[in-house]
Amino acid sequence: MKNFDVVVIGGGPGGYIAAIRAAQLGFSTACIDEWKNSKGGPAPGGTCTNVGCIPSKALLQSSENFEEAGKHFGDHGISMKDLAIDIGKMVARKDAVVKQNNDGILYLFKKNKISFFHGRGSFAKAAEGGYEIKVAGAAEETITGKHVIVATGSNPRALPGVPFDEEKVLSNDGALRIPAVPKKLVLIGSGVIGLEMGSVWRRVGAEVTVLEALPTFLGAVDEQIAREAKKAFDKQGLKIELGVKVGEIKTSGSGVSVAYTSAKGEAQTLQADKLIVSIGRVPNTIGLNPEAVGLKLDERGAIVVDDECRTNLPNVWAVGDVVRGPMLAHKAEEEGVAVAERIAGQHGHVNFNTIPWVIYTSPEIAWVGRTEQQLKADGVQYKAGTFPFLANGRARALGDTTGMVKFLADAKTDEILGVHIVGPMASELISEAVVAMEFKASAEDIARICHAHPSLSEATKEAALAVDKRTLNF
Ligand code: FAD
Ligand code: NAI
């Protein structure tokens, strides 16, 4: 039997990054992952690489290019005849991007001398000085680990009684490989996936309706930012109905019908070619056999961990989507690194207050720290400063002036408490705010830093200046 210092179960961003860090720290390390590519071969990288972050961003880019060419190139004097999009090619390109990432992770396993097992890992029993893990699949064997890191991720949540068939009722998986533009597309849930996938298919020509149960749009986002984003989505023709109660869903040869009650209490039915259900995700421990060792799960099926990702079992750790906290790839990665460092006796640390969020729509939405509504609820005295991209030279040159940067700072100390951005390249701009908050910077610190001109980042500086009511360009 092969013995390892560290066995990682799951090769998504939580698992493969934990394995790399453990190997860097000198541990003999194994990583087990069961994801298969279309040929049955290994496809490490988890949800993120295969059916999540990476493929969705590939499709978002292709569809945005198409929309730019069709709607905005004319503004630059560029004329196009017979503009068309080949959906098969768009999806094939996405698949190629995914494969590059799968191959990259396999290369990283080799480079770091990590033993990779392609199969399902499950707890067999607690053994002398560790745990026996059975691997089943392409690799069939039992290995032992002194430490085990569980990083088995999450699965899409289905509506009760409406299983995913990936033909008409799609999860994120099917949503990323629709073979032709559906004429009518309905999405249930206007969260992150609903908005990103709804944008992709709207841009390439689908008539998209998003049905959301909650009466507020993007409740976790700063209200002012969410309002601004909603205005932009409305203008683009992305129909979002809030406060609905979804009723019966029926599939037939011609498509799918979705009955619902609107916020006004009216009974409605939508006919669509495809339905995407994006109502959140559930932690995944299918096949892990946690009972064999008494690994504790909570009522949601998440593995119970403390602040440092320790489970109820000695030397068994869990990270990423399978534990509490936001279901984000970078959160999973940070936890993976921190656990490997803790195993090595170091002080791995994850700051949950500075984890950025990004929604990759157009405009992009990104934030870190607390929202204005949270500060009010917490009774914190704060100052707010905003700066619109309309007044930013680079945004004008880009032809994309939607949105703003918003700073929230402590009224007395000026410490930055939250930064919220809706607008072009918000995903990249937010990094400055994350660094600032990690270093406990004040709004004035950012306002005094020289930012390149012309750049979108000047809007960040100006929003910091706005906290002190002294913007220069607005
Ligand atoms: P996963 O990535 O789910 O990986 C778990 C891996 O473990 C899988 O490969 C699975 O096959 C394997 N596994 C499970 N059980 C076993 C077992 N018993 N034995 C062996 N292997 C097993 N997050 C972002 O931060 N940014 C984004 O832009 C973003 N976009 C997303 C878009 C979509 C459409 C979706 C669905 C998600 C997106 N996410 C995004 C979320 C992100 O994908 C997850 O937070 C992240 O993948 C979690 O990483 P993880 O390692 O915990 O789990
Ligand atoms: P989500 O939690 O973002 O949104 C789900 C939405 O569905 C919510 O607005 C919720 O109110 C609504 N909803 C729930 N039940 C409903 C019902 N019965 N009828 C109508 N609406 C209902 O979940 P989503 O979009 O499925 O994404 C899952 C997770 O994946 C995200 O929370 C995020 O962690 C991750 N993700 C991250 C991305 C990013 O970082 N850019 C992109 C995509 C996903």
Side-chain angles (χ1 to χ4, degrees):
M1 199 175 331
K2 291 177 190 144
N3 304 308
F4 295 91
D5 295 327
V6 178
V7 171
V8 183
I9 306 178
Y16 90 79
I17 289 292
I20 290 173
R21 188 69 189 117
Q24 282 176 346
L25 289 162
F27 295 116
S28 60
T29 305
C31 183
I32 310 167
D33 187 82
E34 65 178 341
W35 206 292
K36 290 188 186 120
N37 61 25
S38 56
K39 294 183 184 124
T47 301
C48 170
T49 302
N50 293 293
V51 290
C53 325
I54 301 298
S56 61
K57 267 80 254 179
L59 294 187
L60 278 156
Q61 190 59 51
S62 300
S63 59
E64 192 168 358
N65 290 348
F66 180 64
E67 181 150 272
E68 276 292 304
K71 299 200 174 146
H72 305 295
F73 274 19
D75 302 342
H76 298 263
I78 305 169
S79 52
M80 311 255 318
K81 270 199 198 129
D82 306 327
L83 180 70
I85 183 154
D86 177 340
I87 296 297
K89 203 161 177 189
M90 174 177 94
V91 172
R93 174 188 175 272
K94 177 264 302 180
D95 291 340
V97 172
V98 167
K99 185 167 183 311
Q100 282 166 14
N101 282 271
N102 295 142
D103 291 348
I105 296 167
L106 288 169
Y107 161 78
L108 290 170
F109 283 152
K110 268 205 191 111
K111 180 185 162 202
N112 289 283
K113 301 189 173 48
I114 294 162
S115 302
F116 174 65
F117 294 86
H118 187 211
R120 173 170 284 184
S122 57
F123 282 103
K125 61 178 184 184
E128 183 70 26
Y131 297 85
E132 275 187 24
I133 308 292
K134 189 167 167 287
V135 185
E140 292 267 359
E141 55 186 297
T142 299
I143 61 177
T144 65
K146 281 187 205 144
H147 287 263
V148 178
I149 304 175
V150 181
T152 47
S154 62
N155 288 319
R157 188 153 78 86
L159 282 164
V162 191
F164 297 113
D165 60 17
E166 305 298 0
E167 284 290 327
K168 296 203 169 76
V169 181
L170 315 177
S171 69
N172 55 293
D173 181 4
L176 290 158
R177 51 184 170 86
I178 302 178
V181 180
K183 210 164 165 300
K184 290 194 178 180
L185 174 68
V186 173
L187 294 100
I188 300 183
S190 75
V192 201
I193 295 180
L195 293 173
E196 291 188 354
M197 287 296 104
S199 294
V200 166
W201 295 106
R202 180 201 60 73
R203 289 171 186 164
V204 294
E207 187 185 322
V208 178
T209 308
V210 189
L211 300 176
E212 166 60 45
L214 293 177
T216 43
F217 179 61
L218 286 178
V221 175
D222 185 273
E223 278 168 11
Q224 189 179 6
I225 297 293
R227 264 199 312 276
E228 194 73 15
K230 177 80 170 39
K231 263 197 281 174
F233 299 141
D234 288 346
K235 214 165 128 193
Q236 292 163 6
L238 187 68
K239 282 188 229 148
I240 301 168
E241 274 210 52
L242 301 174
V244 311
K245 192 168 183 315
V246 172
E248 198 181 3
I249 291 171
K250 282 195 261 181
T251 54
S252 64
S254 59
V256 49
S257 76
V258 182
Y260 68 97
T261 312
S262 74
K264 288 186 189 145
E266 292 157 351
Q268 305 276 4
T269 304
L270 282 174
Q271 295 293 337
D273 303 293
K274 307 268 179 197
L275 168 68
I276 298 174
V277 178
S278 49
I279 57 167
R281 298 179 61 83
V282 287
N284 168 41
T285 54
I286 297 168
L288 182 66
N289 200 18
E291 310 81 29
V293 286
L295 181 64
K296 207 166 146 194
L297 310 186
D298 68 15
E299 62 289 345
R300 287 185 320 123
I303 296 175
V304 177
V305 289
D306 67 8
D307 288 351
E308 301 201 316
C309 295
R310 285 187 179 80
T311 70
N312 64 312
L313 301 174
N315 300 338
V316 178
W317 310 74
V319 300
D321 281 11
V322 77
V323 304
R324 84 281 171 270
M327 288 185 170
L328 295 173
H330 42 284
K331 175 263 192 185
E333 292 182 7
E334 292 302 313
E335 285 184 334
V337 166
V339 162
E341 292 178 351
R342 283 171 198 139
I343 292 172
Q346 299 181 0
H347 298 282
H349 179 65
V350 182
N351 184 355
F352 275 83
N353 297 322
T354 54
I355 293 177
W357 274 86
V358 179
I359 306 178
Y360 294 82
T361 43
S362 178
E364 293 186 342
I365 305 166
W367 71 97
V368 58
R370 281 184 282 179
T371 61
E372 195 162 352
Q373 63 266 27
Q374 280 172 332
L375 292 176
K376 280 185 186 145
D378 294 348
V380 176
Q381 299 294 307
Y382 65 91
K383 300 176 284 184
T386 58
F387 187 83
F389 284 107
L390 200 63
N392 174 273
R394 183 73 195 280
R396 288 189 195 129
L398 281 174
D400 188 357
T401 52
T402 315
M404 68 179 87
V405 180
K406 173 172 179 173
F407 264 64
L408 297 166
D410 187 280
K412 277 204 195 103
T413 64
D414 197 37
E415 182 180 337
I416 302 167
L417 302 174
V419 177
H420 306 270
I421 308 175
V422 55
M425 302 306 277
S427 55
E428 298 297 330
L429 294 174
I430 201 65
S431 296
E432 179 180 10
V434 175
V435 173
M437 285 187 65
E438 269 296 339
F439 285 85
K440 295 207 167 298
S442 63
E444 187 183 349
D445 287 328
I446 299 300
R448 284 189 180 279
I449 291 171
C450 180
H451 289 66
H453 176 76
S455 70
L456 297 171
S457 71
E458 287 173 293
T460 308
K461 176 190 173 97
E462 290 270 13
L465 280 165
V467 169
D468 203 26
K469 297 195 172 35
R470 53 186 185 95
T471 52
L472 298 164
N473 285 288
F474 189 63

